[in-house]
Amino acid sequence: MNTAQQSIQQYIKAKDGNRPYLLHQAFAPDAILDMVVHTGSISFPPHVEGLGPIGDVLVRRFGQTFENVYTFCLGLPPEPQAKTFQCKWLVGMSDKSCGEARVGCGLYEWQFNPESALVERLTITIEHMKTLPATDLHCIMEWVSHLDYPWCSSQALVNNAPDIDTLEEVIQYLTANTPTCTSQG
């Protein structure tokens, strides 16, 4: 039987590895995706319905633009039978066309089917998406590739973060006094 944690991990594996075929192990066929974007440096449609269109947005089109993708959920995973789950997230990646590094953060809000534990609704809020020069890519990849994946503590993330001024808002958001995750069974 699938769990909420497994659904989240399959989504991350699908997105980060450009493997849309894995999404059926994460999302219900009629799942809904809502995107709330608070930055002008990346764009997504605000509302998407259905497994196929979600795969197009979160995996296929995303994978055409970005590579070296590492996505982290901060905090502990949800309880196996969680109906809802919220957690902050961090992503580190590079732009395929120019080699620039990207580091972003925000909030995931998950709703799961109580029987299958597949995602019925996902709201992704993007708070920050920082663009760094290609010369910073190596230190960004060194940082994210050594973090626990895909579940990471905010403390580990901060302890190993590169000393780059551009990342300051990301680090501040991820370490703010709001809970890094909440789960309801």
Side-chain angles (χ1 to χ4, degrees):
M1 168 128 180
N2 202 37
T3 66
Q5 178 180 348
Q6 289 169 328
S7 290
I8 293 171
Q9 289 174 186
Q10 287 302 92
Y11 154 72
I12 290 172
K13 190 184 289 186
K15 182 179 75 66
D16 289 4
N18 194 16
R19 297 181 184 106
Y21 76 93
L22 292 175
L23 287 179
H24 78 279
Q25 298 173 28
F27 288 91
D30 57 350
I32 295 170
L33 169 68
D34 290 311
M35 300 288 298
V36 180
V37 182
H38 293 185
T39 176
S41 60
I42 196 164
S43 64
F44 287 95
H47 184 80
V48 180
E49 295 185 21
L51 184 57
I54 288 172
D56 288 341
V57 169
L58 293 181
V59 180
R60 290 178 191 91
R61 283 190 241 152
F62 187 83
Q64 289 173 344
T65 305
F66 300 106
E67 61 188 358
N68 300 311
V69 182
Y70 286 88
T71 303
F72 301 91
C73 294
L74 299 190
L76 297 174
E79 295 296 321
Q81 300 307 316
K83 294 181 181 118
T84 65
F85 183 72
Q86 288 185 350
C87 66
K88 291 182 180 180
W89 57 265
L90 168 81
V91 67
M93 58 195 175
S94 60
D95 187 302
K96 283 183 174 182
S97 65
C98 61
E100 292 174 329
R102 294 282 188 105
V103 177
C105 63
L107 183 69
Y108 284 137
E109 298 173 85
W110 306 88
Q111 294 177 23
F112 303 97
N113 179 292
E115 293 172 14
S116 69
L118 293 174
V119 179
E120 291 183 325
R121 182 177 213 115
L122 171 60
T123 300
I124 302 174
T125 301
I126 302 174
E127 289 295 336
H128 300 285
M129 184 59 67
K130 301 298 183 181
T131 302
L132 296 92
T135 54
D136 285 340
L137 180 61
H138 179 75
C139 72
I140 296 299
M141 289 297 114
E142 281 294 305
W143 172 41
V144 297
S145 67
H146 287 91
L147 295 171
D148 289 337
Y149 180 84
W151 303 97
C152 181
S153 74
S154 56
Q155 193 59 49
L157 184 147
V158 172
N159 288 346
N160 298 303
D163 188 15
I164 300 173
D165 289 342
T166 308
L167 298 179
E168 192 171 309
E169 285 182 310
V170 170
I171 300 301
Q172 285 177 356
Y173 173 81
L174 294 174
T175 58
N177 287 336
T178 55
T180 53
C181 63
T182 58
S183 180
Q184 292 185 344

